[in-house]
Amino acid sequence: MARPRKPLLSTDRIVDAARALVDTEGLAAVSTRRLAAELGVSGPSLYNHFRTKDQILEAVADSVSAQVDLSMFDSGDTRGWRTALHDWAVSYRAALREHPNIVPVLAQGPGRRPAGLRLADAVFGSMTDAGWPPAQATSIGALMRYFVMGSALGSFAGGFVDDETAYDPADYPHLGQAHLLAEHQDVVDDRAFQTGLTALLDGLSVQYEQVVATAH
């Protein structure tokens, strides 16, 4: 009986394995030796696809960017710029929350990563098409990226311990309920994200009215 063939090594298999490592063990866990062992291949065989660990991490980062929905920026989409930004930010945060350990790489900017560049191009193009001046459209893209990445890096609610004695009212008179936050982590963090996103979009809407008024 013929022996089963091992799946051919491919760029996608390497990226999938590296992303799983990053998700479970962090950026430091990724090495060509570790990936080769995970994939059941020899270390040198990886060099046909990636020369360095940094190239692998760049590819992992781009694979996460590719998970972000950009349909709201399509030319035929009827959502206005505010709704488009909202829906994109929600999708962007969801992708990053699934893979928070890769956020430090993404935070360095898109560089030459194709999916990251498509994301930046879509946001900038949509904003300028809506009437935002290029300089302000650039600032909006940066602002939204800062906000979404910051929200994905850690949990505010998760930063409080569930021990009531840690928050002595003599020292922290307003933190009497802080020990309950961790129990409701997802709800608190989601509400904080939506509150911040609404505040950002409200502020941008005011600026947009000024932009439109100036243009006319």
Side-chain angles (χ1 to χ4, degrees), residues 10 33 39 47 58 69 75 92 100 139 167 195 197 208:
S10 67
R33 178 178 296 180
L39 293 164
Y47 295 129
E58 287 285 306
D69 181 16
S75 58
Y92 197 6
S139 297
Y167 307 105
T195 298
L197 182 56
Y208 186 70

Side-chain angles (χ1 to χ4, degrees), residues 79-101:
R79 280 170 281 190
W81 68 265
R82 176 181 172 131
T83 301
L85 273 185
H86 175 277
D87 294 351
W88 167 68
V90 170
S91 176
Y92 197 6
R93 178 175 180 254
L96 299 191
R97 288 194 75 186
E98 288 292 318
H99 311 282
N101 291 336

Side-chain angles (χ1 to χ4, degrees), residues 168-176:
D168 189 329
D171 296 320
Y172 316 107
H174 305 296
L175 296 182

Side-chain angles (χ1 to χ4, degrees), residues 81-82 132 200-212:
W81 68 265
R82 176 181 172 131
W132 286 99
L200 284 178
L201 295 174
D202 284 348
L204 288 174
S205 294
V206 172
Q207 292 186 35
Y208 186 70
E209 292 177 2
Q210 297 170 348
V211 167
V212 172

Side-chain angles (χ1 to χ4, degrees), residues 71-200:
S71 64
M72 65 288 296
F73 300 127
D74 291 344
S75 58
D77 195 280
T78 59
R79 280 170 281 190
W81 68 265
R82 176 181 172 131
T83 301
L85 273 185
H86 175 277
D87 294 351
W88 167 68
V90 170
S91 176
Y92 197 6
R93 178 175 180 254
L96 299 191
R97 288 194 75 186
E98 288 292 318
H99 311 282
N101 291 336
I102 199 64
V103 172
V105 179
L106 286 165
Q108 296 171 13
R112 298 176 182 270
R113 300 192 296 269
L117 289 171
R118 283 193 294 272
L119 187 155
D121 181 75
V123 175
F124 179 81
S126 179
M127 294 304 101
T128 54
D129 287 347
W132 286 99
Q136 286 177 280
T138 299
S139 297
I140 290 169
L143 168 66
M144 298 302 291
R145 190 163 67 90
Y146 299 153
F147 175 67
V148 173
M149 287 189 177
S151 72
L153 274 174
S155 164
F156 172 80
F160 293 88
V161 299
D162 61 359
D163 180 2
E164 185 176 5
T165 64
Y167 307 105
D168 189 329
D171 296 320
Y172 316 107
H174 305 296
L175 296 182
Q177 302 297 308
H179 64 286
L180 302 175
L181 289 174
E183 181 182 351
H184 305 286
Q185 178 174 321
D186 289 342
V187 172
V188 173
D189 291 344
D190 288 345
R191 188 169 56 214
F193 174 76
Q194 287 294 342
T195 298
L197 182 56
T198 299
L200 284 178

